[in-house]
Amino acid sequence: MRAKSSATDTSPIAVKTSPAPGHPAPPAGLPVSPARVSVGAERPGASRRGLVLAALGVVAFSLTFPATAWGLEGFGPWSLVTVRCVLAALLAGGCLLAGRVPVPQRRHWPGLAVVAAGVVVGFPLLTTLALGTSSTAHAAVVVGLLPLTTALFSALRVGARPSRAFWTAAVAGAAVVIAFTVQQSGGALGTADGYLFGALLICAAGYTEGGRLARMMPGWQVIGWALVLCLPLAVVGAAVALAHEPVHASAQGVAGLVWVAAGSQFLGLVVWYRGMAAIGIPRASQLQLAQPLLTLVWAVLLLGEPLTVAAPLAAVAVLVCIAVTQRR
């Protein structure tokens, strides 16, 4: 990649476009990036591609909890979180070096720090600790609330103003997912719930900030630099954790570690942030309403957890809510 890239190019774009649905106008003084122009009316296919990319991210994320459960069979919670961060950061750093990607501008680093704290460290750590005492179905509660929380953070952070119908469908979909997952887990509250709700808030902040940055630099660079930013801390943490937690490297444990590092922590976030940049943070976040149900399917196939007859009914209700939010 040449020294002058989409992440650092400040040359003006001589095309006047209106924001796509779900996109706030860029703050005054910021350049309009080529990625933003591609979302305009001249390229209607960009919205469809954005939906596909965001959906692929949701599929990748839906495997995170089952893969984490596998990883915990061979590693302690702190070892699993720190080692996955190290592996994902090395993968991201290699891609950045191979592409000769320049260091982001100084004004982007505070946002990258938020992404790192929320998506790279906070959410994986808190959900892994929760899964130490909670089932996969119960942990899916946090995913059911995440789309609504992300939309709220988006409204506060980047000035998005979705319609009343959008919010009604979003709240209804979140309510369906919450009711379904709580019913599946028996509705018990415990220490794991504190971890899950903390993960919910910090991840929503990381998603929102990452979606904002992905409109000014490629999405894979957003998560790539956030991972690299965490690498020194992750290396130290991994060394300490591996020295104090026993390791029983089974096939499923290693497979779970590899997936959460490469699939969930890097590749999934790459397509997710690209999707959010194309279709807007609130609209993309509503696709995650389907994530808990996908997670339950993977839990049945990979972990052998039972699935009740309520699952298809909840799936239909969630898909209706997603359709409404996409139209709005």
Side-chain angles (χ1 to χ4, degrees):
M1 180 177 292
R2 297 180 180 177
K4 186 177 182 181
S5 70
S6 59
T8 56
D9 187 6
T10 57
S11 59
I13 303 298
V15 178
K16 184 177 180 181
T17 61
S18 299
H23 278 280
L30 289 182
V32 179
S33 69
R36 182 171 181 82
V37 173
S38 67
V39 183
E42 293 83 355
R43 296 183 61 185
S47 179
R48 187 179 298 107
R49 288 193 296 272
L51 285 173
V52 171
L53 290 172
L56 288 175
V58 170
V59 172
F61 299 153
S62 70
L63 283 161
T64 300
F65 287 168
T68 300
W70 273 9
L72 288 173
E73 295 180 5
F75 302 88
W78 292 91
S79 298
L80 181 61
V81 171
T82 53
V83 172
R84 73 180 272 185
C85 184
V86 170
L87 294 178
L90 292 176
L91 176 61
C95 292
L96 291 169
L97 286 175
R100 299 181 181 180
V101 178
V103 176
Q105 297 177 16
R106 182 179 301 178
R107 62 189 175 92
H108 295 323
W109 283 108
L112 290 171
V114 174
V115 176
V119 178
V120 177
V121 178
F123 187 80
L125 175 60
L126 293 175
T127 54
T128 300
L129 292 174
L131 286 170
T133 58
S134 173
S135 68
T136 300
H138 191 77
V141 172
V142 70
V143 181
L145 288 173
L146 190 55
L148 180 59
T149 311
T150 303
L152 289 172
F153 270 82
S154 172
L156 294 174
R157 177 65 178 91
V158 298
R161 294 294 182 266
S163 67
R164 183 175 300 178
F166 180 98
W167 285 115
T168 300
V171 172
V176 169
V177 171
I178 293 170
F180 177 72
T181 52
V182 170
Q183 186 272 334
Q184 291 293 294
S185 60
L189 299 177
T191 304
D193 295 290
Y195 290 138
L196 291 171
F197 286 112
L200 167 71
L201 295 176
I202 196 170
C203 186
Y207 276 174
T208 299
E209 198 64 21
R212 185 187 67 85
L213 289 172
R215 296 171 61 192
M216 293 177 279
M217 67 175 72
W220 74 273
Q221 293 182 23
V222 173
I223 187 58
W225 286 114
L227 284 165
V228 170
L229 185 63
C230 293
L231 182 58
L233 179 63
V235 170
V236 174
V240 174
L242 290 172
H244 290 81
E245 291 180 338
V247 175
H248 307 285
S250 63
Q252 287 188 347
V254 173
L257 171 62
V258 170
W259 177 258
V260 294
S264 302
Q265 193 84 70
F266 183 63
L267 298 178
L269 286 167
V270 168
V271 295
W272 173 245
Y273 281 140
R274 288 191 65 181
M276 282 201 295
I279 64 176
I281 298 171
R283 190 181 181 195
S285 70
Q286 300 317 302
L287 291 174
Q288 282 194 306
L289 287 170
Q291 187 172 325
L293 302 179
L294 288 173
T295 297
L296 291 175
V297 172
W298 296 124
V300 172
L301 296 177
L302 301 177
L303 304 178
E305 294 187 5
L307 186 64
T308 67
V309 295
L313 297 177
V316 172
V318 168
L319 291 175
V320 170
C321 293
I322 292 176
V324 173
T325 59
Q326 296 307 303
R327 289 181 61 86
R328 298 296 175 178

